[in-house]
Amino acid sequence: MSRGQLPLAKSLVLVAAFTAREVSWSRKTVFLGLLLLIPAGIAAVVRGEAPPGAAETFLAEVMPSLVIGVVQLMCLFHGAGLVRDAMEERTLAFLLTRPIGRARIAQGMYLGLLLYVLPLGLIGAGAGFAACRAGLPGGMFTDDIDGPTSVQGLVRLLQVTGGAVVFYCALYTLFGLVFKASTIVGLLFLMIFDALLGSLPGPPRMLSPMSYFEVLLAPHFESRATLMREMDVYPMESGTAAMVLVVALLAIMFVTRRLARGKDFVAFQKAQ
């Protein structure tokens, strides 16, 4: 630790608290919060209008990917603009006057983003599951019909959703450090890598982070990964998918730390 620099834990908590407050009171808060209720809203419509059994099919085949997609959008619109928003609100200028260090500021901003997005993402996933299963005979976790109707199914959905929040918040925070038009770059990444390449059978699919999260949803839920397995196209075990995501996350955090240490935030602010 450099002389006069705040301890690691204290500096991270300070920056995380500032970031969580700024993110939760931004102009995007209400819109993105409502976005997380879309899966539950669609599930309610399906239960009310579709034939019996459609809600279970929707939960097994559509809900998980929809939840992760919505969570990714929330991570994108908050994370990609994290540095820029901190500059506009003068939060970054305030933090730079403290003995914290640029790398710790970047790490603390990421932690603060997680403090806000992670609970909302888990609530959105749980609400979607409940909208499909609540009120059924025998309770929400009965196993009398096909599909993910047990506690294990809900736990797996929450685990994968939480993992997606941790990964995509880190990825889009890095985008915010690298690109000026970070939100646009993030949208292009989402459309090209996760939407397009993630739907292709073959090696290009391995470039999509979403494809690895879809592997983790099995066997409780079906997704594009299930279809690829049925086609015997590059089948992957959940352990391998989890390891790839962990390695990728560590690489993203390492690059973010290195870039932040050499980033001239003052000059970057003037350029904005």
Side-chain angles (χ1 to χ4, degrees):
M1 183 177 67
S2 302
R3 184 177 180 182
Q5 193 174 57
L6 291 176
L8 176 61
K10 186 175 182 179
S11 59
L12 291 179
V13 169
L14 173 64
V15 180
F18 263 88
T19 303
R21 186 188 66 179
E22 295 297 321
V23 171
S24 62
W25 286 99
S26 70
R27 295 184 295 269
K28 309 168 188 175
T29 302
V30 176
F31 170 74
L32 294 175
L34 292 176
L35 192 67
L36 289 173
L37 298 179
I38 287 179
I42 295 177
V45 173
V46 170
R47 288 190 65 174
E49 303 296 334
E56 286 73 24
T57 302
F58 175 78
L59 175 59
E61 301 179 3
V62 180
M63 173 69 72
S65 298
L66 181 60
V67 167
I68 296 175
V70 170
V71 161
Q72 184 178 170
L73 285 174
M74 190 170 190
C75 295
L76 167 61
F77 286 109
H78 278 305
L82 198 58
V83 175
R84 184 186 65 251
D85 292 344
M87 290 177 178
E88 293 177 353
E89 301 294 334
R90 302 297 178 183
T91 302
L92 190 55
F94 171 78
L95 293 173
L96 287 172
T97 63
R98 268 54 184 171
I100 297 177
R102 288 173 171 81
R104 293 184 181 182
I105 288 177
Q107 293 170 332
M109 292 176 75
Y110 167 62
L111 291 177
L113 183 62
L114 285 183
L115 289 176
Y116 173 69
V117 178
L118 185 57
L120 292 181
L122 296 179
I123 290 173
F129 188 94
C132 291
R133 294 293 304 155
L136 294 181
M140 189 164 61
F141 300 112
T142 55
D143 294 312
D144 56 344
I145 59 176
D146 294 333
T149 60
S150 64
V151 175
Q152 289 76 19
L154 176 59
V155 169
R156 177 60 61 89
L157 178 61
L158 294 178
Q159 288 174 337
V160 176
T161 300
V165 171
V166 171
F167 180 86
Y168 283 113
C169 278
L171 178 63
Y172 293 129
T173 300
L174 174 60
F175 279 17
L177 282 173
V178 176
F179 305 107
K180 290 184 178 180
S182 52
T183 301
I184 295 176
V185 174
L187 284 172
L188 291 175
F189 178 89
L190 189 157
M191 292 186 290
I192 294 174
F193 284 84
D194 279 343
L196 179 59
L197 297 183
S199 300
L200 296 178
R205 176 173 165 77
M206 298 297 99
L207 297 175
S208 167
M210 183 70 170
S211 65
Y212 297 95
F213 287 106
E214 290 174 341
V215 171
L216 297 178
L217 289 170
H220 301 282
F221 303 95
E222 298 181 11
S223 62
R224 293 178 300 182
T226 307
L227 178 61
M228 298 299 172
R229 182 177 293 275
E230 292 174 353
M231 297 169 59
D232 198 26
V233 178
Y234 292 92
M236 181 183 299
E237 299 299 325
S238 59
T240 303
M243 182 176 64
V244 170
L245 288 171
V246 170
V247 171
L249 175 63
L250 292 177
I252 290 170
M253 297 181 70
F254 174 79
V255 173
T256 299
R257 177 179 175 82
R258 291 297 298 270
L259 287 178
R261 290 178 66 180
K263 193 78 171 180
D264 188 350
F265 288 114
V266 176
F268 186 60
Q269 182 176 0
K270 292 179 180 178
Q272 296 295 318

